[in-house]
Amino acid sequence: MSRIVYVNGSYLPEEEATVSIFDRAFLMADGVYEVTSVLGGKLIDFAGHMARLERSLNALGMNKPEAFDELLDIHRELVTRNDIDEGMIYLQVSRGAAGDRDFVFPDPEVVKPTLVLFTQSKPGLADNPTAKTGIKVISIDDIRWGRRDIKTVQLLYPSMGKMMAKDAGADDAWLVEDGKVTEGTSNNAYIVKDGRIITRELSTDILHGITRAAVLRFAREAQMTVEERSFTVDEAQQADEAFVTSASTFVMPVVALDGAPIGDGTVGPVATRLREIYIEESIKAGV
Ligand code: PMP
Protein backbone atom coordinates (compact mmCIF):
# COMPACT_ATOMS: atom_id res chain seq x y z
CA MET A 1 0.00 0.00 0.00
CA SER A 2 1.31 3.43 -0.91
CA ARG A 3 2.07 5.87 1.87
CA ILE A 4 0.49 9.26 2.31
CA VAL A 5 3.29 11.81 2.63
CA TYR A 6 3.34 15.54 3.31
CA VAL A 7 4.94 18.08 0.97
CA ASN A 8 4.61 21.85 1.47
CA GLY A 9 1.05 21.88 2.79
CA SER A 10 -0.37 18.89 0.90
CA TYR A 11 -1.01 15.28 1.90
CA LEU A 12 -0.38 13.12 -1.17
CA PRO A 13 0.19 9.48 -2.16
CA GLU A 14 3.97 9.02 -2.29
CA GLU A 15 3.98 8.53 -6.10
CA GLU A 16 2.45 11.96 -6.57
CA ALA A 17 4.73 13.88 -4.21
CA THR A 18 7.47 15.89 -5.93
CA VAL A 19 10.20 18.40 -5.11
CA SER A 20 12.04 20.61 -7.62
CA ILE A 21 15.34 19.44 -9.12
CA PHE A 22 16.66 22.87 -8.00
CA ASP A 23 15.91 22.14 -4.35
CA ARG A 24 19.00 23.06 -2.34
CA ALA A 25 18.85 19.88 -0.28
CA PHE A 26 19.22 17.93 -3.55
CA LEU A 27 21.96 20.15 -5.03
CA MET A 28 23.91 21.22 -1.93
CA ALA A 29 22.76 19.16 1.07
CA ASP A 30 21.34 22.51 2.26
CA GLY A 31 18.71 20.99 4.48
CA VAL A 32 18.12 19.71 7.99
CA TYR A 33 16.05 16.83 9.28
CA GLU A 34 14.57 15.09 12.30
CA VAL A 35 13.43 11.54 12.93
CA THR A 36 10.79 11.03 15.60
CA SER A 37 9.82 7.53 16.61
CA VAL A 38 6.28 6.30 17.14
CA LEU A 39 5.36 3.73 19.78
CA GLY A 40 1.78 2.67 20.36
CA GLY A 41 0.75 5.35 17.87
CA LYS A 42 2.32 8.08 20.05
CA LEU A 43 5.21 10.40 19.19
CA ILE A 44 8.29 9.90 21.35
CA ASP A 45 10.31 12.93 22.56
CA PHE A 46 8.42 15.13 20.08
CA ALA A 47 9.15 18.42 21.85
CA GLY A 48 12.88 17.63 21.97
CA HIS A 49 13.03 16.88 18.26
CA MET A 50 11.20 20.09 17.37
CA ALA A 51 13.47 22.13 19.66
CA ARG A 52 16.53 20.67 17.93
CA LEU A 53 14.97 21.34 14.51
CA GLU A 54 14.60 25.00 15.45
CA ARG A 55 18.20 25.07 16.65
CA SER A 56 19.46 23.52 13.37
CA LEU A 57 17.46 26.05 11.33
CA ASN A 58 18.82 28.95 13.39
CA ALA A 59 22.39 27.68 13.11
CA LEU A 60 22.13 27.74 9.30
CA GLY A 61 20.16 31.00 9.10
CA MET A 62 17.27 29.16 7.50
CA ASN A 63 13.69 30.37 7.92
CA LYS A 64 11.18 28.18 9.68
CA PRO A 65 8.70 26.63 7.27
CA GLU A 66 5.32 28.35 7.40
CA ALA A 67 3.76 25.24 8.94
CA PHE A 68 6.26 25.14 11.85
CA ASP A 69 3.57 25.65 14.51
CA GLU A 70 1.42 22.92 12.95
CA LEU A 71 4.11 20.25 13.00
CA LEU A 72 2.49 18.29 15.84
CA ASP A 73 -0.79 18.12 13.91
CA ILE A 74 1.04 17.12 10.72
CA HIS A 75 2.93 14.33 12.51
CA ARG A 76 -0.30 13.07 14.08
CA GLU A 77 -2.17 13.24 10.79
CA LEU A 78 0.52 11.14 9.10
CA VAL A 79 0.45 8.59 11.93
CA THR A 80 -3.32 8.30 11.52
CA ARG A 81 -3.45 8.28 7.72
CA ASN A 82 -0.71 5.64 7.48
CA ASP A 83 -1.96 3.66 10.48
CA ILE A 84 1.45 3.70 12.19
CA ASP A 85 1.63 1.81 15.47
CA GLU A 86 5.43 1.48 15.69
CA GLY A 87 7.85 3.24 13.38
CA MET A 88 9.31 6.62 12.56
CA ILE A 89 8.41 9.94 11.03
CA TYR A 90 11.08 11.58 8.89
CA LEU A 91 10.91 15.37 8.56
CA GLN A 92 13.13 17.46 6.30
CA VAL A 93 13.37 21.20 5.80
CA SER A 94 15.53 22.60 3.02
CA ARG A 95 16.33 26.18 2.05
CA GLY A 96 14.01 25.68 -0.90
CA ALA A 97 14.37 25.82 -4.67
CA ALA A 98 15.59 29.07 -6.23
CA GLY A 99 14.92 27.90 -9.80
CA ASP A 100 18.64 27.60 -10.63
CA ARG A 101 21.92 26.44 -9.09
CA ASP A 102 23.81 29.09 -7.15
CA PHE A 103 26.05 28.85 -4.07
CA VAL A 104 24.64 32.10 -2.69
CA PHE A 105 21.62 31.61 -0.45
CA PRO A 106 18.38 32.77 -2.09
CA ASP A 107 16.42 35.65 -0.57
CA PRO A 108 14.30 33.99 2.14
CA GLU A 109 11.48 36.46 1.43
CA VAL A 110 11.25 35.08 -2.10
CA VAL A 111 12.27 31.43 -1.79
CA LYS A 112 10.36 29.51 0.87
CA PRO A 113 11.75 26.45 2.66
CA THR A 114 10.70 23.03 1.39
CA LEU A 115 9.00 20.90 4.06
CA VAL A 116 8.65 17.16 3.55
CA LEU A 117 7.48 14.48 5.99
CA PHE A 118 6.95 10.76 5.52
CA THR A 119 6.35 7.75 7.74
CA GLN A 120 8.27 4.48 8.06
CA SER A 121 6.27 1.64 9.57
CA LYS A 122 8.43 -0.69 11.73
CA PRO A 123 6.28 -3.17 13.61
CA GLY A 124 8.29 -4.71 16.45
CA LEU A 125 10.54 -1.66 16.91
CA ALA A 126 10.33 -1.74 20.71
CA ASP A 127 10.72 -5.51 20.88
CA ASN A 128 13.63 -5.55 18.42
CA PRO A 129 15.35 -8.95 18.94
CA THR A 130 18.75 -7.35 18.19
CA ALA A 131 18.54 -5.64 21.59
CA LYS A 132 18.93 -9.12 23.15
CA THR A 133 22.09 -10.02 21.19
CA GLY A 134 23.64 -6.57 20.67
CA ILE A 135 25.52 -5.18 17.69
CA LYS A 136 29.17 -5.30 16.63
CA VAL A 137 30.91 -2.07 15.66
CA ILE A 138 34.19 -1.15 14.01
CA SER A 139 36.11 2.10 14.49
CA ILE A 140 36.79 4.41 11.54
CA ASP A 141 38.24 7.91 11.17
CA ASP A 142 35.81 10.74 11.76
CA ILE A 143 36.33 12.89 8.66
CA ARG A 144 33.01 14.75 8.86
CA TRP A 145 32.74 18.54 8.88
CA GLY A 146 33.08 20.59 12.08
CA ARG A 147 29.40 21.32 12.81
CA ARG A 148 28.10 17.87 13.66
CA ASP A 149 25.72 19.48 16.18
CA ILE A 150 23.61 20.65 13.23
CA LYS A 151 21.43 17.84 11.94
CA THR A 152 22.01 18.32 8.20
CA VAL A 153 21.07 15.90 5.42
CA GLN A 154 24.77 15.63 4.52
CA LEU A 155 24.90 11.89 5.33
CA LEU A 156 27.31 10.50 2.74
CA TYR A 157 30.12 9.69 5.17
CA PRO A 158 27.80 8.07 7.75
CA SER A 159 26.42 5.94 4.88
CA MET A 160 29.95 5.02 3.83
CA GLY A 161 30.77 4.16 7.44
CA LYS A 162 27.83 1.77 7.61
CA MET A 163 29.04 0.16 4.37
CA MET A 164 32.57 -0.19 5.78
CA ALA A 165 31.06 -1.90 8.82
CA LYS A 166 29.02 -4.22 6.62
CA ASP A 167 32.06 -5.12 4.53
CA ALA A 168 33.93 -5.92 7.77
CA GLY A 169 31.14 -8.21 8.95
CA ALA A 170 29.97 -5.72 11.60
CA ASP A 171 26.73 -3.80 12.11
CA ASP A 172 27.85 -0.20 12.51
CA ALA A 173 30.86 2.08 12.94
CA TRP A 174 32.11 4.35 15.71
CA LEU A 175 33.88 7.48 14.55
CA VAL A 176 37.25 8.38 16.03
CA GLU A 177 38.98 11.77 16.03
CA ASP A 178 42.26 12.61 17.79
CA GLY A 179 42.24 9.14 19.33
CA LYS A 180 38.79 9.59 20.91
CA VAL A 181 35.40 8.23 19.94
CA THR A 182 33.07 11.02 18.87
CA GLU A 183 29.84 9.08 18.22
CA GLY A 184 28.33 6.37 16.02
CA THR A 185 27.44 6.95 12.36
CA SER A 186 23.82 7.62 13.37
CA ASN A 187 23.82 7.36 17.16
CA ASN A 188 25.57 8.48 20.33
CA ALA A 189 28.16 6.15 21.86
CA TYR A 190 28.55 5.05 25.50
CA ILE A 191 30.66 2.72 27.60
CA VAL A 192 30.02 1.42 31.10
CA LYS A 193 32.91 0.84 33.52
CA ASP A 194 32.54 -0.12 37.18
CA GLY A 195 28.90 0.98 37.07
CA ARG A 196 29.70 4.43 35.59
CA ILE A 197 28.09 5.44 32.31
CA ILE A 198 30.58 7.33 30.15
CA THR A 199 29.64 9.32 27.02
CA ARG A 200 31.28 12.22 25.19
CA GLU A 201 30.35 15.70 26.39
CA LEU A 202 28.22 17.94 24.15
CA SER A 203 30.05 20.22 21.72
CA THR A 204 30.07 20.93 17.98
CA ASP A 205 31.87 17.55 17.57
CA ILE A 206 28.70 15.46 17.99
CA LEU A 207 24.98 15.58 17.43
CA HIS A 208 23.12 16.44 20.62
CA GLY A 209 21.01 13.32 20.66
CA ILE A 210 17.47 13.72 21.92
CA THR A 211 17.57 10.10 23.09
CA ARG A 212 20.93 10.81 24.78
CA ALA A 213 19.38 13.63 26.81
CA ALA A 214 16.46 11.45 27.93
CA VAL A 215 18.60 8.39 28.71
CA LEU A 216 21.09 10.41 30.79
CA ARG A 217 18.18 11.97 32.69
CA PHE A 218 16.66 8.54 33.41
CA ALA A 219 20.08 7.16 34.42
CA ARG A 220 20.62 9.97 36.92
CA GLU A 221 17.09 9.58 38.26
CA ALA A 222 17.88 5.89 38.83
CA GLN A 223 20.97 6.96 40.86
CA MET A 224 23.41 5.76 38.20
CA THR A 225 26.66 7.70 37.82
CA VAL A 226 27.11 9.53 34.51
CA GLU A 227 30.44 10.91 33.29
CA GLU A 228 30.29 13.18 30.25
CA ARG A 229 33.78 12.89 28.75
CA SER A 230 35.45 11.37 25.72
CA PHE A 231 37.00 7.89 25.71
CA THR A 232 39.40 5.96 23.48
CA VAL A 233 38.82 2.78 21.49
CA ASP A 234 41.20 1.03 23.91
CA GLU A 235 39.17 2.14 26.93
CA ALA A 236 35.98 0.97 25.20
CA GLN A 237 37.49 -2.45 24.53
CA GLN A 238 38.33 -2.72 28.27
CA ALA A 239 34.85 -1.57 29.35
CA ASP A 240 32.25 -3.78 31.02
CA GLU A 241 29.53 -2.78 28.54
CA ALA A 242 28.87 -0.46 25.65
CA PHE A 243 25.77 0.80 23.90
CA VAL A 244 24.43 3.41 21.48
CA THR A 245 21.29 5.56 21.55
CA SER A 246 19.14 7.05 18.82
CA ALA A 247 15.49 7.82 18.16
CA SER A 248 15.07 4.71 16.01
CA THR A 249 17.07 2.19 18.08
CA PHE A 250 16.45 3.65 21.58
CA VAL A 251 19.21 1.99 23.65
CA MET A 252 21.08 -0.65 21.64
CA PRO A 253 23.82 -2.77 23.29
CA VAL A 254 27.23 -3.00 21.60
CA VAL A 255 29.03 -6.31 22.26
CA ALA A 256 32.22 -6.00 20.17
CA LEU A 257 34.52 -3.24 18.93
CA ASP A 258 37.01 -3.94 16.14
CA GLY A 259 36.59 -7.67 16.72
CA ALA A 260 37.33 -7.49 20.48
CA PRO A 261 34.48 -8.53 22.78
CA ILE A 262 33.29 -5.86 25.23
CA GLY A 263 32.93 -7.32 28.73
CA ASP A 264 32.01 -10.96 28.23
CA GLY A 265 30.78 -10.23 24.71
CA THR A 266 27.10 -10.39 25.64
CA VAL A 267 24.47 -7.76 26.38
CA GLY A 268 25.02 -6.22 29.82
CA PRO A 269 22.62 -5.28 32.63
CA VAL A 270 23.07 -1.49 32.44
CA ALA A 271 22.18 -1.24 28.73
CA THR A 272 19.27 -3.64 29.23
CA ARG A 273 17.91 -1.67 32.18
CA LEU A 274 18.30 1.69 30.42
CA ARG A 275 16.51 0.35 27.35
CA GLU A 276 13.61 -0.83 29.50
CA ILE A 277 13.36 2.46 31.39
CA TYR A 278 13.66 4.56 28.23
CA ILE A 279 10.94 2.68 26.35
CA GLU A 280 8.60 2.52 29.35
CA GLU A 281 8.97 6.20 30.30
CA SER A 282 8.86 7.41 26.70
CA ILE A 283 5.63 5.59 25.94
CA LYS A 284 4.11 7.12 29.09
CA ALA A 285 5.19 10.60 27.96
CA GLY A 286 4.33 10.08 24.26
CA VAL A 287 2.00 12.58 22.58
N1 PMP B 1 24.52 11.11 16.31
C1 PMP B 1 24.31 11.09 14.98
C2 PMP B 1 25.44 11.37 14.07
C3 PMP B 1 23.02 10.82 14.48
O1 PMP B 1 22.80 10.81 13.15
C4 PMP B 1 21.96 10.53 15.39
C5 PMP B 1 20.59 10.18 14.91
N2 PMP B 1 20.12 10.96 13.90
C6 PMP B 1 22.25 10.55 16.76
C7 PMP B 1 23.53 10.85 17.18
C8 PMP B 1 21.17 10.27 17.78
O2 PMP B 1 20.28 11.34 17.89
P1 PMP B 1 18.78 11.12 18.38
O3 PMP B 1 18.86 10.42 19.69
O4 PMP B 1 18.23 12.49 18.50
O5 PMP B 1 18.12 10.30 17.33
Side-chain angles (χ1 to χ4, degrees):
M1 202 187 73
S2 135
R3 275 175 286 199
I4 298 297
V5 304
Y6 176 97
V7 185
N8 292 330
S10 304
Y11 293 92
L12 298 166
E14 61 185 68
E15 312 78 44
E16 291 171 30
T18 56
V19 171
S20 165
I21 63 158
F22 298 114
D23 195 276
R24 290 182 59 90
F26 179 60
L27 295 177
M28 312 231 168
D30 190 357
V32 298
Y33 76 108
E34 282 298 329
V35 176
T36 304
S37 62
V38 179
L39 290 176
K42 299 270 196 227
L43 300 160
I44 304 303
D45 277 334
F46 180 78
H49 287 286
M50 293 308 106
R52 185 174 59 189
L53 173 64
E54 194 167 357
R55 183 181 181 278
S56 294
L57 292 169
N58 286 336
L60 295 175
M62 214 184 276
N63 272 1
K64 283 187 196 168
E66 266 165 30
F68 189 85
D69 293 336
E70 294 150 41
L71 286 174
L72 177 56
D73 290 341
I74 298 170
H75 277 75
R76 283 178 166 157
E77 187 70 23
L78 286 174
V79 167
T80 304
R81 290 200 190 204
N82 294 287
D83 199 18
I84 306 295
D85 179 44
E86 293 196 353
M88 284 97 77
I89 303 197
Y90 177 88
L91 171 158
Q92 177 174 315
V93 182
S94 82
R95 206 182 301 271
D100 200 357
R101 181 175 181 272
D102 189 345
F103 283 83
V104 175
F105 292 173
D107 180 350
E109 291 309 312
V110 178
V111 175
K112 298 296 168 200
T114 303
L115 174 63
V116 170
L117 290 94
F118 59 81
T119 55
Q120 294 183 288
S121 180
K122 303 271 179 197
L125 192 64
D127 267 335
N128 187 347
T130 308
K132 300 241 161 25
T133 52
I135 60 166
K136 296 182 174 127
V137 302
I138 58 166
S139 64
I140 61 172
D141 280 347
D142 194 342
I143 60 164
R144 297 173 302 162
W145 78 326
R147 289 302 306 273
R148 302 155 190 163
D149 57 315
I150 309 173
K151 198 166 168 61
T152 75
V153 298
Q154 193 190 341
L155 296 175
L156 181 54
Y157 189 63
S159 288
M160 290 169 71
K162 286 193 192 277
M163 293 312 294
M164 288 184 240
K166 201 171 167 212
D167 289 345
D171 304 294
D172 206 348
W174 278 10
L175 306 166
V176 178
E177 187 173 55
D178 299 330
K180 304 279 177 62
V181 174
T182 50
E183 59 187 332
T185 57
S186 63
N187 41 58
N188 290 112
Y190 307 72
I191 56 172
V192 181
K193 186 71 180 176
D194 300 329
R196 286 168 295 125
I197 299 162
I198 302 161
T199 193
R200 195 177 175 106
E201 70 282 4
L202 296 180
S203 71
T204 51
D205 296 340
I206 63 169
L207 188 75
H208 300 190
I210 301 305
T211 319
R212 177 189 183 280
V215 165
L216 293 187
R217 189 175 74 246
F218 295 140
R220 286 175 172 129
E221 282 170 9
Q223 315 301 325
M224 299 179 187
T225 306
V226 175
E227 270 178 41
E228 294 186 64
R229 63 163 176 87
S230 56
F231 55 85
T232 64
V233 167
D234 238 29
E235 191 179 2
Q237 287 174 327
Q238 305 303 320
D240 302 325
E241 290 184 44
F243 61 92
V244 293
T245 64
S246 74
S248 53
T249 63
F250 313 123
V251 177
M252 182 56 70
V254 172
V255 295
L257 173 54
D258 289 336
I262 295 176
D264 65 2
T266 66
V267 168
V270 174
T272 301
R273 183 78 194 108
L274 284 175
R275 182 178 174 89
E276 280 167 9
I277 299 175
Y278 178 78
I279 291 176
E280 199 183 304
E281 294 299 321
S282 301
I283 290 175
K284 268 194 241 160
V287 297

